[in-house]
Amino acid sequence: MSTKVNINALKPDLTFKSDLMLDENFILLPVAVPVTESLTKALNEWNFTEFRCNAEMSLGGDMGLPIQKVDKSKQEIAKIQAEEKVKNSLKHALEQANSGKFANTERSRLESVQAVYNEYMNYINSVYTDYATRKKINYQELSDTVKDLCIFIKDNKRYVLRITPSAEQRSKNFLVIHSMRSTVLAITLGLELHIAISKLIELGITSILHEIGMLRLPPQLYMSNRKLTNSERTQISTHPLLGCAILKELNFPLSIQLGVLEHHEKENGKGYPQHLTGEKISNYAKIIAVACSFEAITAPRLYKTARTTFDAMIEMLKNENQQYDPTVIKALLFSLSLFPIGAFVYLQNGKIAIVSDVSPNNPKNPIVQLINETEPDGSPKTVQTDNNLNKIVRVLTKEEQADVQKTLDLQRKITNQTAELTNALETAKANETKDEQGFSSVDLSEFN
């Protein structure tokens, strides 16, 4: 049940028991985050007067009305507890994935990696929320967390790169999902470029925080489904400066500050905010510029349709007007391949496959996993593509990919149901055998 909230009800330090929404898709204020004067001022300027609060999303307990005055000390404790829960969940997911417990099949391995991926998104969300509510970011904790992420991506690259957030996730968590996907790509590029682990961690931190300046702008600017005016685009272009200022206030290393400041600079000097040319742009910014652009091309936005990863790769390889560092573009090609990991492709022999890994020395011919074909041991059948029968003819259209995915999901559902039924029958049979053994061991002498 949705409750309407008028802008006149928004007072400083008030919090909501569920997310405050601009509409069905856009979160204006996360649960338990206090209202600020700057927020109400921005809403008035943009003529937003009414919002929605879903009572069913309440944190529970005896909460009744959607708005309440919260004791700040209790609020602080609640935030700390929430952060600890996120960190513990991430730690648990990593332990499960690293233990190999769920890695007995390709599908279970992908699912365990997906679980870790989701927990990292939750962690990034907590980092952004912590800054938005308390103006704090724990650098050492972030550094330790990113170190684990770097190792995780190194060990699971071919699985991590296949993960695609849902449209619903994207619409509600734009900054978090964009930061996560850009960070995965940035670290992947850093690994391909053989960056030292200490620098790789700094690169990951920079990528996670490269959009932190957006938090000082009205959310309507970067979540709008309409074409922005010139003044609005100018306002958006200040986010690298705002992000750099935030990290300077928090005493982050200068290299990270510069990476955030310069991630929209172009090699040809036509970027912003300083119009720097190639030799003056920091290495972290060069890498994030490529990762960020590739992610933006493949991600659906409210004002555009997502394009395939193959389309994105072709556009990046063209490097029109020499916008990007050619060394980083080469790293993108060799780490994802011409037909990026996760892409569905049609082969010369008429078979359909999904790109599952790169060929280190031949980015044009990646390794693919054939759809509906398995090895004698039941594992997915993979082949090295070539220029003959296993040649990739084309990438499947979005509609074709959707049809293939539906078929795979149905087959997976049937397989899971079959496995559950088999287990149930085996359990029943075992119990029946146990009962028979128990009956045969009964002393029948008393009946004689």
Side-chain angles (χ1 to χ4, degrees), residues 29-99:
L29 201 66
V31 59
V33 176
V35 174
T36 62
E37 290 183 3
S38 60
L39 175 64
T40 54
K41 181 180 178 181
L43 292 172
N44 278 311
E45 290 177 353
W46 283 76
N47 295 319
F48 283 103
T49 59
E50 196 170 77
F51 319 99
R52 297 179 182 179
C53 184
N54 190 349
E56 293 178 357
M57 295 172 65
S58 171
L59 292 177
D62 57 356
M63 299 178 182
L65 295 174
I67 305 175
Q68 63 175 351
K69 195 83 174 181
V70 177
D71 180 89
K72 288 190 176 181
S73 61
K74 292 181 179 179
Q75 192 177 51
E76 188 73 11
I77 292 172
K79 288 175 184 173
I80 292 172
Q81 290 174 336
E83 290 169 6
E84 286 300 316
K85 184 178 179 180
V86 169
K87 286 185 285 186
N88 290 335
S89 296
L90 174 56
K91 181 180 178 181
H92 177 70
L94 277 170
E95 289 174 349
Q96 292 281 18
N98 293 333
S99 69

Side-chain angles (χ1 to χ4, degrees), residues 275-317:
H275 308 293
L276 301 178
T277 51
E279 70 278 2
K280 297 177 182 177
I281 303 172
S282 73
N283 288 331
Y284 295 162
K286 288 172 180 280
I287 295 172
I288 293 172
V290 170
C292 188
S293 296
F294 186 91
E295 196 285 326
I297 296 171
T298 59
R301 297 287 192 264
L302 295 169
Y303 51 85
K304 74 174 184 68
T305 303
R307 295 161 63 190
T308 67
T309 52
F310 176 71
D311 291 335
M313 182 62 72
I314 294 300
E315 182 168 327
M316 297 302 291
L317 289 175

Side-chain angles (χ1 to χ4, degrees), residues 10-213:
L10 303 184
K11 307 296 181 184
D13 295 330
L14 288 176
T15 61
F16 290 74
K17 298 171 186 176
S18 66
D19 294 329
L20 183 65
M21 312 292 290
L22 282 176
D23 55 29
E24 292 181 354
N25 293 318
F26 300 134
I27 295 177
L28 173 65
L29 201 66
V31 59
V33 176
V35 174
T36 62
E37 290 183 3
S38 60
L39 175 64
T40 54
K41 181 180 178 181
L43 292 172
N44 278 311
E45 290 177 353
W46 283 76
N47 295 319
F48 283 103
T49 59
E50 196 170 77
F51 319 99
R52 297 179 182 179
C53 184
N54 190 349
E56 293 178 357
M57 295 172 65
S58 171
L59 292 177
D62 57 356
M63 299 178 182
L65 295 174
I67 305 175
Q68 63 175 351
K69 195 83 174 181
V70 177
D71 180 89
K72 288 190 176 181
S73 61
K74 292 181 179 179
Q75 192 177 51
E76 188 73 11
I77 292 172
K79 288 175 184 173
I80 292 172
Q81 290 174 336
E83 290 169 6
E84 286 300 316
K85 184 178 179 180
V86 169
K87 286 185 285 186
N88 290 335
S89 296
L90 174 56
K91 181 180 178 181
H92 177 70
L94 277 170
E95 289 174 349
Q96 292 281 18
N98 293 333
S99 69
K101 181 179 179 181
F102 302 106
N104 55 324
T105 67
E106 185 81 0
R107 170 51 50 181
S108 62
R109 184 61 186 167
L110 183 58
E111 288 175 351
S112 68
V113 169
Q114 174 80 66
V116 175
Y117 187 99
N118 291 342
E119 292 302 336
Y120 268 107
M121 283 206 299
N122 290 337
Y123 176 77
I124 292 175
N125 183 64
S126 73
V127 171
Y128 272 65
T129 301
D130 200 26
Y131 178 77
T133 58
R134 296 191 292 175
K135 300 297 182 286
K136 295 179 180 178
I137 299 177
N138 187 324
Y139 175 76
Q140 188 56 56
E141 177 190 283
L142 182 56
S143 180
D144 293 341
T145 304
V146 172
K147 179 181 179 181
D148 291 339
L149 177 59
C150 291
I151 296 170
F152 184 75
I153 291 174
K154 181 178 182 295
D155 294 340
N156 300 279
K157 187 185 80 169
R158 71 190 189 94
Y159 298 101
V160 176
L161 292 174
R162 287 167 64 176
I163 295 174
T164 304
S166 67
E168 181 181 6
Q169 285 177 313
R170 286 182 179 280
S171 65
K172 292 188 177 181
N173 301 284
F174 164 74
L175 289 181
V176 172
I177 290 177
H178 173 67
S179 296
M180 179 64 188
R181 280 172 55 83
S182 296
T183 299
V184 167
L185 286 170
I187 291 174
T188 299
L189 294 175
L191 288 166
E192 184 68 30
L193 293 166
H194 304 292
I195 294 177
I197 185 63
S198 60
K199 300 297 182 184
L200 195 63
I201 293 170
E202 284 195 347
L203 171 64
I205 292 172
T206 307
S207 186
I208 285 175
L209 299 176
H210 77 278
E211 301 285 28
I212 195 73

